[in-house]
């Protein structure tokens, strides 16, 4: 308590200082930054095509353009840039790297490395044949091409070079250079400025390159000097005479791209440690090989994007009036502020691809490292240019607009002070000798098994069934005539036990029972490092007895908790908003409110503030929570936000990157599994799947992007038989029929949310998402659907999906290992197959196998 009071009394002083600090240190302070030395394609580098091969792949790299051709293990060829891009009139199409930098006003400018690096000669490369690797170094920016000619030297040095070159070279040097003489400059206004640049001008003449010397002239002089051995080393030595470079005032970025042949895969890496940029012009966005997966407007095929469980965008679909597909990998970073949400698509699996129908080949790209900074972008030919493409982009330096109103009329943008050390962006390309999205999904399956061997183990064939029981919510109640927010019982501990017993008696077995709203005031609970049961739900004995009885009936029980966000922060709990909350880039505490589903902005009236806890605090909370629930005889946890929320901490004193938080989650859940805990995740970011016994709310359908043409169960094909998962809850979803049909098509398990109270109990509360969860209203339907799925799909849940077809518009077929086929009809009318079999409207049939027709 004393600690909190001291912090509270300090808040006013801290807030007063924040604005001053933001303005003063917004761009890394006023310290001078060393000039970025541009890379240079010099005469020592070969212009011949460079080839590396590992026996499976061959890469032919053209040093004059930095384009390449990749020959895969099947003999198919892939190019870094689309065919005909050199004639398309857009330099971006000829680029292999596209970046954006942002100035002090928050204005973003895009540059491509073809126009702003390759054409200027500001790049270099090195081949490592023993490592099957090529590194290409780029200086991308608004800087002049670097010529290896002196910029300013004492006359004696100039004379040495002048006397060494040929007679023709001397003529060119005379016209390119100006001799400064102190005596002749007497009385001229420029003398004072020249003395600042050349302090020894009084002692001897200085020779400088004339201003506005044309590029061709510099190139000619460079050629003559190169004949006498003048090289980069001498150029760098001559720069030491005088500080005459001005590149530090212009936007420029140095970065290195590595092309690596790794077995059958082509890997591209962009190390953060090899990125340089000016803090006045931070590198905010980068796309590497933006057109590696592209196709012209005369080709047939599709772009694969990880929308929902996977979606296809057909080439040239003429959806020019729809926005391009853009979705953040692993969703929004809650370490960043946002006030409005209109469209918020999320990607749970960092993978995309392209397929060519006529060529019968496809390419899959897996964002392997640094994916949490990334987004997937896709568009069709006809909007920006004549090419369909899909790619990944990355936010490199994160920045935000700081609110400093009262001190300035304009906004001040603040950025991260430095990039995370040792991190890398890595993309893995895998060629597939097929144009089928099923084969693409199977290839991704192989990748997942290689990376996560535990996923290769098959699950049982039993139907996964999750039942989430809602205990208490917060509701305003009258206490002695005064309104007060208190826990309100929707399902007591005894009622939870009775519901599961009733389901068990009806034949529902092997359930995953998730207990929600059971401690610390309910569903929206306080810090989970200290567990207090809720008296209106029952006694400690009731709770322990409920857990024991459910476990005895062979049902697994998971206690749900949120350790990422902190709600209901009290004066006497362990959480300090000042020291235990993450910080935005603006140095403000990550204090947030819910976004309204009605007007898509912050709901300032309808929701309380909550906080994003520091990553370390969250991990420590898990340890404390596990100790607490051990007293109740369990260590099984259902995480509310770990697995679907990945947020960085931009605290300047102790920043934790999004990738570092990802690793913390992986390590923590890994240690939990090793210690015997079973874990349920919601939605399920790919990196945590090996540690989950069950994934709930796994995306099974598109998130509504209009540019998408066809939904496919890509991730179900990749994971079925090796991971238990469900879609949305059947009884509280917005579209019950579609959800049920997607469950059948995807081979998913069933999930429902239940409470004993009537739905009317939710009136005047913030828990209206549980309307429809009344057990009595749903129990007959739940039993009926369970019996049907158990009969028709039992045994299939341990099998892989081997095929999937779009039989007709809104009619699909999913085939399993043993040949069982599931036909799903999304239409409002019956559909008849060619053999006469009828699929009822908005229903499915199972053909062959156990329980099939």
């Amino acid at each position: 308590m004393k600690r909190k009071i001291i912090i509270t009394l300090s808040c006013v002083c801290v807030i007063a200082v924040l604005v001053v600090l933001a303005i003063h240190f917004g761009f890394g302070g006023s310290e001078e930054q060393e000039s970025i030395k541009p890379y240079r394609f010099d005469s020592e580098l070969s212009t011949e095509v460079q080839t590396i091969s590992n026996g499976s792949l061959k890469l032919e790299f053209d040093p004059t353009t930095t384009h390449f051709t990749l020959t895969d293990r099947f003999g198919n060829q892939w190019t870094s840039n689309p065919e005909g891009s050199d004639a398309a009139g857009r330099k971006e199409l000829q680029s292999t790297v596209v970046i954006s930098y942002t100035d002090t006003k928050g204005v973003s400018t895009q540059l491509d490395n073809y126009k702003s690096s390759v054409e200027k000669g500001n790049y270099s490369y090195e081949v490592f044949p023993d490592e099957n690797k090529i590194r290409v170094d780029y200086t991308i920016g608004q800087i002049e091409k670097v010529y290896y000619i002196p910029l300013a030297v004492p006359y004696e040095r100039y004379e040495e070079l002048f006397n060494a070159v040929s007679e023709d070279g001397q003529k060119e040097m005379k016209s390119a250079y100006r001799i400064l003489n102190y005596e002749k400059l007497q009385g001229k206004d420029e003398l004072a400025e020249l003395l600042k640049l050349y302090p020894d001008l009084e002692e001897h003449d200085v020779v400088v390159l004339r201003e506005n010397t044309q590029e061709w002239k510099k190139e000619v002089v460079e050629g003559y000097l190169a004949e006498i051995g003048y090289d980069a080393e001498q150029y760098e030595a001559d720069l030491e005479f005088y500080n005459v470079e001005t590149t530090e005032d212009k936007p420029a970025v140095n970065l290195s791209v590595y092309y690596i042949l790794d077995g059958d895969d082509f890997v591209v890496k962009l190390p953060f440690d090899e990125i340089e940029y000016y803090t006045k012009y931070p590198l905010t966005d980068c796309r590497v090989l933006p057109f590696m997966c592209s196709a012209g407007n005369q080709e047939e095929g599709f772009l694969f994007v990880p929308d929902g469980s996977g979606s296809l965008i057909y080439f040239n679909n003429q959806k020019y009036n729809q926005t391009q597909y853009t979705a953040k990998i692993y969703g929004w970073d809650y370490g960043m502020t946002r006030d409005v949400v209109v469209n918020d698509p999320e990607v749970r699996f960092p993978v995309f691809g392209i397929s060519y129908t006529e060529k019968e080949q496809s390419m899959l790209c897996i964002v392997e490292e640094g994916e949490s900074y990334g987004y997937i972008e896709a568009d069709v030919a006809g909007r920006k240019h004549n090419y369909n493409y899909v790619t990944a982009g990355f936010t490199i330096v994160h920045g935000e607009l700081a609110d400093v109103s009262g001190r300035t009329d304009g906004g001040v943008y603040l950025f991260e002070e430095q990039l995370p050390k040792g991190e890398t962006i890595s993309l893995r390309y895998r060629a597939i000798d097929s144009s089928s999205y099923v084969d693409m999904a199977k290839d991704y399956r192989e990748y997942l098994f290689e990376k996560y061997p535990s996923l290769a183990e098959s699950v049982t064939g039993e139907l996964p069934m999750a039942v989430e029981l809602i205990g208490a919510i917060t509701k305003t109640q009258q206490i002695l005539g005064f309104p007060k927010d208190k826990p309100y019982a929707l399902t007591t501990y005894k009622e939870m036990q009775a519901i599961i017993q009733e389901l068990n008696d009806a034949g529902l077995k092997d359930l995953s029972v998730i207990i929600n709203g059971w401690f610390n005031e309910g569903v929206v609970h306080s810090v989970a490092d200290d567990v207090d049961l809720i008296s209106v739900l029952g006694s400690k004995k009731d709770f322990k007895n409920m857990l024991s009885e459910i476990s005895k009936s062979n049902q697994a029980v998971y206690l749900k908790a949120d350790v990422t966000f902190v709600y209901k922060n009290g004066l006497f709990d362990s959480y300090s908003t000042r020291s235990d909350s993450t910080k935005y880039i603006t140095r403000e505490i990550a204090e947030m409110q819910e976004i309204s589903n009605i007007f898509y902005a912050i709901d300032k009236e309808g929701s309380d503030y909550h906080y994003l806890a520091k990553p370390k605090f969250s991990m420590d909370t898990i340890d404390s929570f596990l100790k607490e629930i051990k007293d109740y005889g369990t260590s099984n946890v259902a995480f509310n936000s770990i697995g679907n929320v990945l947020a960085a901490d931009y605290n300047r004193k102790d920043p934790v990157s999004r990738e570092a938080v990802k690793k913390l989650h992986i390590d923590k859940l890994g240690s939990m599994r090793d210690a015997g805990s079973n874990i349920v995740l919601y939605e399920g970011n790919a990196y945590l799947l090996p540690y989950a016994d069950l994934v709930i709310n796994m995306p099974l359908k598109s998130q509504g992007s209009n540019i998408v043409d066809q939904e496919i169960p890509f991730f179900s094909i990749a994971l079925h038989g090796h991971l238990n998962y469900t879609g949305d809850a059947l009884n509280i979803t917005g579209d019950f029929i579609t959800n049920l049909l997607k469950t059948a098509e995807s081979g998913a398990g069933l999930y429902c949310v239940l409470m004993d109270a009537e739905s009317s109990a939710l009136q005047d509360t913030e828990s209206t998402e549980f309307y429809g969860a009344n057990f009595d209203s749903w129990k007959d339907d739940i039993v009926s659907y369970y019996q049907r799925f158990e009969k028709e799909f039992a045994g299939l849940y341990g099998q892989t999906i081997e095929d999937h077809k779009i039989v007709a518009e809104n009619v699909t077929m999913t085939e399993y290992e043993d040949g069982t086929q599931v036909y799903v009809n999304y239409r409002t009318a019956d559909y008849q197959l060619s053999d006469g079999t009828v699929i009822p409207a908005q229903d499915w049939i199972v053909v062959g196998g156990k329980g099939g027709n």
Side-chain angles (χ1 to χ4, degrees):
M1 177 179 177
K2 182 179 179 181
R3 174 171 172 252
K4 283 206 165 190
I5 293 174
I6 292 173
I7 292 173
T8 303
L9 292 175
S10 303
C11 284
V12 176
C13 295
V14 172
I15 293 171
V17 171
L18 281 177
V19 172
V20 177
L21 287 176
I23 294 175
H24 185 68
F25 295 106
F27 300 95
S30 58
E31 297 180 5
E32 291 188 4
Q33 185 178 4
E34 289 187 9
S35 297
I36 291 175
K37 294 183 179 180
Y39 293 112
R40 170 69 154 68
F41 193 91
D42 59 37
S43 57
E44 296 180 359
L45 292 172
S46 173
T47 58
E48 299 294 323
V49 172
Q50 304 293 305
T51 302
I52 56 174
S53 176
N54 66 352
S56 179
L57 305 177
K58 182 173 72 172
L59 185 73
E60 297 169 281
F61 173 78
D62 183 354
T64 63
T65 61
T66 72
H67 296 172
F68 62 80
T69 299
L70 175 71
T71 303
D72 65 30
R73 58 186 171 133
F74 308 109
N76 301 320
Q77 290 193 330
W78 305 84
T79 57
S80 59
N81 299 79
E83 183 179 349
S85 60
D86 55 343
R90 289 176 61 101
K91 299 297 184 182
E92 181 185 354
L93 291 168
Q94 298 181 65
S95 66
T96 53
V97 179
V98 176
I99 68 167
S100 293
Y101 70 86
T102 304
D103 64 19
T104 58
K105 295 181 180 179
V107 177
S108 182
T109 301
Q110 179 176 292
L111 298 174
D112 66 78
N113 74 328
Y114 197 80
K115 179 180 179 180
S116 300
S117 177
V118 175
E119 287 191 333
K120 293 181 177 182
N122 292 336
Y123 70 101
S124 183
Y125 76 91
E126 186 173 357
V127 180
F128 304 87
D130 294 338
E131 301 177 49
N132 293 313
K133 178 171 67 178
I134 295 176
R135 186 191 72 236
V136 191
D137 308 309
Y138 296 104
T139 299
I140 308 172
Q142 299 175 9
I143 60 174
E144 296 180 358
K145 176 180 177 178
V146 177
Y147 292 93
Y148 290 157
I149 58 177
L151 300 181
V153 292
Y155 183 81
E156 291 78 5
R157 172 59 174 160
Y158 171 80
E159 188 176 34
E160 176 189 341
L161 298 172
F162 181 84
N163 291 333
V165 301
S166 65
E167 185 176 342
D168 289 337
Q170 291 177 347
K171 292 179 181 179
E172 297 296 341
M173 289 183 70
K174 283 181 179 179
S175 64
Y177 286 90
R178 175 191 179 192
I179 301 175
L180 303 178
N181 178 271
Y182 181 76
E183 298 298 333
K184 293 180 180 180
L185 289 168
Q186 290 295 320
K188 295 186 177 181
D189 295 337
E190 64 178 322
L191 179 57
E193 291 298 322
L194 290 173
L195 285 172
K196 292 179 182 179
L197 292 173
Y198 316 113
D200 57 354
L201 181 58
E202 293 184 63
E203 302 172 13
H204 54 72
D205 292 350
V206 176
V207 181
V208 302
L209 185 69
R210 295 182 186 275
E211 292 184 10
N212 302 320
T213 300
Q214 294 180 318
E215 298 288 306
W216 68 266
K217 173 68 76 173
K218 294 178 183 179
E219 189 172 348
V220 169
V221 173
E222 181 186 52
Y224 285 115
L225 287 173
E227 291 176 358
I228 64 170
Y230 191 87
D231 56 13
E233 185 176 350
Q234 293 188 53
Y235 170 77
E236 294 290 340
D238 286 342
L239 289 177
E240 298 297 324
F241 285 111
Y242 306 108
N243 183 22
V244 295
E245 291 187 290
T246 58
T247 55
E248 65 271 19
D249 294 326
K250 298 179 181 179
V253 173
N254 275 357
L255 54 82
S256 298
V257 179
Y258 290 81
Y259 299 132
I260 305 166
L261 306 184
D262 182 16
D264 295 336
D265 297 343
F266 174 55
V267 177
V268 180
K269 290 183 177 290
L270 177 68
F272 279 9
D273 291 349
E274 297 179 38
I275 294 176
E276 296 179 284
Y277 59 89
Y278 292 117
T279 53
K280 290 172 64 175
Y281 307 103
L283 172 62
T284 48
D285 190 85
C286 182
R287 287 178 290 153
V288 181
L289 299 183
F291 301 106
M292 179 77 174
C293 293
S294 62
N297 58 7
Q298 300 300 314
E299 296 186 82
E300 294 183 2
F302 59 79
L303 308 172
F304 163 69
V305 293
D307 183 58
S309 185
S311 297
L312 308 182
I313 301 173
Y314 295 130
F315 294 170
N316 318 307
N317 65 12
Q318 299 186 354
K319 294 184 178 181
Y320 314 129
N321 296 325
Q322 304 300 330
T323 57
Q324 68 179 24
Y325 177 83
T326 305
K328 294 180 180 295
I329 297 176
Y330 305 145
W332 181 258
D333 178 357
Y334 283 88
M336 304 282 290
T337 60
R338 66 172 175 177
D339 298 325
V340 177
V341 177
V342 176
N343 185 27
D344 192 26
E346 302 169 342
V347 168
R348 299 298 169 195
F349 298 82
V351 58
F352 61 91
I354 190 169
S355 174
Y356 304 88
T357 302
E358 293 182 1
K359 298 177 184 178
E360 294 187 355
Q361 64 188 63
S362 54
M363 176 72 81
L364 204 62
C365 180
I366 302 156
V367 189
E368 198 167 43
E369 296 179 83
E371 74 273 23
S372 66
Y373 308 127
Y375 58 89
I376 307 299
E377 177 180 301
D379 207 350
V380 295
R383 190 199 316 275
K384 299 177 182 177
H385 42 67
N386 291 325
Y387 296 92
N388 309 273
Y389 74 94
V390 60
T391 188
F394 301 88
T395 300
I396 306 299
V397 180
H398 298 79
E400 292 193 306
L401 178 64
D403 182 7
V404 291
S405 56
R407 299 188 61 91
T408 175
D409 292 334
V412 173
Y413 272 80
L414 304 183
F415 295 90
E416 292 176 284
E417 291 185 334
Q418 61 182 6
L419 293 176
K421 300 293 184 182
E423 293 189 7
T424 299
I425 287 171
S426 179
L427 300 99
R428 180 174 294 270
Y429 292 86
R430 311 191 87 174
I432 302 161
D433 198 28
S434 165
S435 59
S436 165
Y437 60 80
V438 174
D439 290 334
M440 295 171 72
K442 289 180 180 179
D443 197 87
Y444 186 55
R445 177 198 299 165
E446 293 179 8
Y447 167 80
L448 291 173
F449 290 174
E450 292 167 8
K451 187 170 184 178
Y452 308 113
S454 62
L455 274 181
E457 301 175 7
S458 298
V459 297
T460 67
E462 299 300 323
L463 166 65
M465 177 77 183
V467 176
E468 183 167 342
L469 301 174
I470 308 301
I473 60 170
T474 300
K475 187 172 183 177
T476 303
Q477 301 170 60
Q478 296 293 324
I479 306 297
L480 299 177
F482 295 95
K484 182 178 177 58
D485 288 343
K486 292 190 64 179
Y488 181 85
L490 297 180
T491 316
T492 66
Y493 301 139
K494 288 183 177 180
E495 289 167 346
M496 291 180 184
Q497 178 182 336
I499 288 173
I500 299 304
Q501 183 61 52
E502 192 168 344
L503 292 176
N504 188 58
D505 292 342
L508 277 65
K509 56 186 178 180
D510 296 321
L511 300 179
S512 294
V513 181
I514 300 162
I515 310 298
N516 189 6
W518 61 278
F519 77 111
N520 290 16
E521 300 182 58
V523 172
V524 180
H525 58 75
S526 56
V527 187
D529 60 353
D530 182 34
V531 171
D532 291 319
L533 297 178
I534 303 171
S535 60
V536 295
L537 297 183
S539 66
K540 182 177 181 179
K541 180 180 179 182
D542 294 335
F543 182 73
K544 294 183 74 171
N545 188 61
M546 178 265 294
L547 294 181
S548 175
E549 291 302 314
I550 292 177
S551 297
K552 285 180 183 178
S553 61
N554 202 31
Q555 322 286 16
V557 184
Y558 300 84
L559 300 181
K560 188 173 182 179
D562 191 341
V563 299
T564 303
F565 298 104
V566 174
Y567 302 83
K568 299 184 176 180
N569 180 38
L571 187 63
F572 300 103
D573 63 29
S574 62
Y575 186 82
S576 165
T577 57
R578 183 61 52 186
S579 59
D580 295 326
S581 300
T582 64
K583 297 286 184 65
Y584 294 133
I585 295 169
T586 59
R587 294 183 172 86
E588 298 171 295
I589 290 174
E591 181 182 65
M592 58 195 73
Q593 290 176 281
E594 300 294 338
I595 302 292
S596 170
N597 293 325
I598 299 173
F599 49 88
Y600 306 108
I602 290 177
D603 187 2
K604 295 182 180 180
E605 300 297 330
S607 64
D608 295 327
Y609 284 105
H610 58 282
Y611 303 90
L612 176 64
K614 280 186 174 182
K616 184 180 184 305
F617 186 91
S618 294
M619 298 302 99
D620 291 344
T621 298
I622 291 176
D623 294 337
S624 299
F625 181 75
L626 289 173
K627 289 180 181 178
E628 292 279 311
I629 65 174
K630 188 176 181 180
D631 291 340
Y632 299 108
T634 185
S635 61
N636 298 341
V637 182
F639 284 114
N640 191 48
S641 48
I642 287 183
N644 61 74
V645 171
L646 185 60
D649 183 359
Y650 295 97
N651 188 322
R652 304 241 169 175
K653 292 183 179 180
D654 186 23
V656 186
S657 72
R658 210 175 184 211
E659 283 293 296
V661 175
K662 182 184 79 173
K663 187 177 186 306
L664 286 174
H665 289 179
I666 292 171
D667 292 345
K668 181 59 67 176
L669 267 64
S671 65
M672 287 177 62
R673 287 301 298 266
D674 292 341
S677 292
N678 294 320
I679 300 169
V680 167
L681 298 177
Y682 287 74
E683 297 185 50
N685 292 339
Y687 56 88
L688 290 180
L689 296 183
Y691 313 104
D693 293 273
L694 176 67
V695 176
I696 287 173
N697 291 135
M698 182 172 168
L700 300 182
K701 57 185 178 181
S702 171
Q703 295 176 315
S705 179
N706 291 331
I707 198 172
V708 164
D709 294 300
Q710 180 65 55
E711 300 176 11
I712 58 172
F714 184 93
F715 301 115
S716 296
I717 297 171
L719 292 167
H720 197 277
H722 299 272
L723 177 72
N724 286 324
Y725 57 88
T726 79
D728 296 338
L730 292 177
N731 57 324
I732 59 172
T733 184
D735 187 345
F736 168 77
I737 293 177
T738 299
N739 186 27
L740 189 64
L741 296 178
K742 283 292 180 184
T743 298
E745 181 187 0
S746 305
L750 300 177
Y751 168 45
C752 59
V753 176
L754 301 173
M755 63 183 185
D756 186 76
E758 296 290 338
S759 296
S760 58
L762 301 172
Q763 291 178 357
D764 300 321
T765 73
E766 295 180 20
S767 301
T768 54
E769 70 270 21
F770 299 129
Y771 273 117
N774 175 256
F775 175 64
D776 289 335
S777 300
W778 272 94
K779 62 182 177 182
D780 291 340
D781 289 330
I782 290 171
V783 171
S784 175
Y785 284 120
Y786 177 91
Q787 291 174 343
R788 181 179 179 186
F789 271 81
E790 201 277 334
K791 174 184 177 182
E792 297 181 348
F793 290 87
L796 296 180
Y797 290 101
Q799 298 184 31
T800 57
I801 294 175
E802 290 301 307
D803 199 8
H804 181 272
K805 286 185 173 63
I806 311 300
V807 177
E809 185 177 2
N810 293 322
V811 181
T812 67
M813 185 280 294
T814 305
E815 184 173 329
Y816 293 86
E817 282 182 75
D818 66 357
T820 300
Q821 296 179 333
V822 179
Y823 288 89
V824 180
N825 180 11
Y826 291 87
R827 300 182 177 191
T828 55
D830 294 350
Y831 181 83
Q832 183 172 318
L833 300 175
S834 58
D835 63 359
T837 301
V838 175
I839 312 170
Q842 295 186 326
D843 204 344
W844 70 88
I845 62 170
V846 179
V847 179
K850 180 181 177 181
N853 294 332

